[in-house]
Amino acid sequence: EVVLTQSPATLSLSPGERATLSCRASQSVSSYLAWYQQKAGQAPRLLIYDASNRATGIPARFSGSGSGTDFTLTISSLEPEDFAVYYCQQRSNSLTFGGGTKVEIK
Amino acid sequence: EVQLVESGGGLVQPGGSLRLSCAASGFIFSSYAIHWVRQAPGKGLEYVSAISSNGGNTYYANSVKGRFTISRDNSKDTLFLQMGSLRAEDMAVYYCARVWKTGITWNWFDLWGQGTLVTVSS
């Protein structure tokens, strides 16, 4: 099973700041990695797929990068609605999710 | 409206059974693989099970293999998860999620239901 480790567990930032979230895979997943955003009481929403492609309707402030085992989700300037939990997911070998990073207001 | 709506959650005793449903609308249900993903209270997301678009192929996480059965009725645009021998660790919100491309079982999820809560407790 591919284990995805997300860091940090919690990121405390202010609106307008840049957020950098990390996802590390226990083995190479090529570019088969996605990022989801989940707000309290809601289902996850697809943000980024295939490591670096924005899903439909996702603002340009969200960007993804990486391949192999190391991936990054960057939010260039945090908007109030961006404070949420973010999960990475791989589909290279079955499906697994990372443990999540909570982006909270500082 | 394109949506998935889960139902069937509730309180069940350890060792008991429960059947979840996921009703689809607004899209051609029979063209898409669908997965069940669960989330324990305050925890992250966990893949549970998947079924191909025509129902011919099913897949399970090791944690539920032999206890859960996924199925679908394409004539009624509905997905099911029959859950048996339930344990405390099965307690979670269960989401059904659509694979975003037709005809592919393993891919990203572009449409999720609102989830249904399964509580396992005596």
Side-chain angles (χ1 to χ4, degrees):
Chain A
E1 174 182 300
V2 177
V3 177
L4 298 178
T5 302
Q6 290 188 241
S7 61
T10 304
L11 201 50
S12 298
L13 296 168
S14 301
E17 290 193 296
R18 182 184 189 90
T20 303
L21 288 66
S22 174
C23 177
R24 177 164 292 177
S26 60
Q27 63 191 72
S28 176
V29 297
S30 186
S31 294
Y32 297 131
L33 190 108
W35 291 92
Y36 295 83
Q37 176 193 66
Q38 187 179 34
K39 297 180 180 179
Q42 296 184 18
R45 177 176 70 145
L46 179 65
L47 296 177
I48 301 288
Y49 65 93
D50 293 345
S52 61
N53 298 289
R54 277 190 302 277
T56 303
I58 301 304
R61 63 181 181 273
F62 290 93
S63 63
S65 63
S67 66
T69 61
D70 290 296
F71 300 87
T72 300
L73 173 68
T74 302
I75 311 172
S76 59
S77 178
L78 283 164
E79 296 288 338
E81 62 268 27
D82 299 337
F83 291 91
V85 181
Y86 293 83
Y87 293 96
C88 56
Q89 178 211 348
Q90 66 80 25
R91 66 171 183 88
S92 174
N93 184 341
S94 184
L95 285 180
T96 50
F97 293 90
T101 290
K102 181 180 182 181
V103 178
E104 65 175 24
I105 300 176
K106 187 174 181 180
Chain B
E1 182 183 359
V2 176
Q3 62 178 356
L4 296 168
V5 179
E6 301 94 338
S7 61
L11 175 64
V12 61
Q13 292 186 341
S17 299
L18 208 58
R19 189 194 200 200
L20 306 183
S21 299
C22 170
S25 59
F27 65 96
I28 302 173
F29 180 70
S30 60
S31 294
Y32 293 87
I34 309 286
H35 292 230
W36 287 100
V37 176
R38 68 186 180 185
Q39 186 169 35
K43 301 296 184 183
L45 301 166
E46 179 188 16
Y47 153 73
V48 173
S49 183
I51 189 166
S52 60
S53 56
N54 66 3
N57 294 292
T58 58
Y59 308 88
Y60 301 92
N62 288 335
S63 58
V64 307
K65 200 171 293 183
R67 300 188 298 121
F68 289 12
T69 301
I70 190 172
S71 62
R72 64 192 296 163
D73 184 342
N74 284 347
S75 69
K76 296 183 178 178
D77 294 346
T78 305
L79 172 77
F80 303 100
L81 186 68
Q82 180 68 46
M83 310 165 65
S85 302
L86 283 162
R87 308 166 179 167
E89 54 265 35
D90 295 319
M91 184 164 67
V93 173
Y94 283 73
Y95 295 100
C96 54
R98 184 184 77 173
V99 172
W100 77 325
K101 289 187 177 181
T102 59
I104 299 175
T105 301
W106 301 103
N107 217 298
W108 316 122
F109 302 131
D110 68 335
L111 179 67
W112 298 65
Q114 85 290 349
T116 187
L117 176 63
V118 173
T119 302
V120 183
S121 176
S122 54

